[in-house]
């Protein structure tokens, strides 16, 4: 089957609509999980209290804090 530029345009529109749905779903998930940031901060604080790991623990703590929404 040969595709025409019209078919390509319809495929592009479908992809964009699907991305919009995913973005809305992610935003809704953020609203439904109010404890996520609190738990992430608790985990980061635990990494901060591991002086034996030095810079590695600090890096993990920064990574976890970056996951907060």
């Amino acid at each position: 089957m040969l595709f025409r530029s019209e078919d390509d345009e319809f495929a592009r529109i479908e992809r964009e609509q699907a991305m919009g749905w995913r973005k809305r779903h992610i935003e809704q998930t953020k609203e439904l999980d109010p404890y996520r940031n609190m738990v992430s901060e608790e985990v980061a604080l635990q990494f901060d209290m591991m002086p034996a790991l030095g810079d590695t623990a600090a890096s993990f703590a920064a990574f976890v804090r970056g996951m907060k929404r």
Side-chain angles (χ1 to χ4, degrees):
M1 178 175 175
L2 296 175
F3 287 102
R4 300 180 312 230
S5 62
E6 183 178 286
D7 293 331
D8 292 337
E9 187 64 19
F10 282 124
R12 182 189 64 78
I13 291 170
E14 287 177 1
R15 282 192 310 272
E16 286 179 1
Q17 288 176 342
M19 290 301 290
W21 177 85
R22 287 185 191 103
K23 187 174 181 178
R24 285 191 305 274
H25 178 72
I26 290 169
E27 292 299 321
Q28 290 171 352
T29 303
K30 287 180 186 178
E31 294 171 6
L32 295 176
D33 193 5
Y35 298 106
R36 177 185 171 92
N37 287 343
M38 292 187 325
V39 172
S40 296
E41 185 59 29
E42 287 182 36
V43 171
L45 287 173
Q46 291 300 315
F47 277 119
D48 285 338
M49 293 190 304
M50 296 180 184
L53 297 178
D55 290 339
T56 303
S59 295
F60 280 134
F63 175 75
V64 170
R65 284 190 176 101
M67 292 171 52
K68 293 184 345 184
R69 296 179 182 173

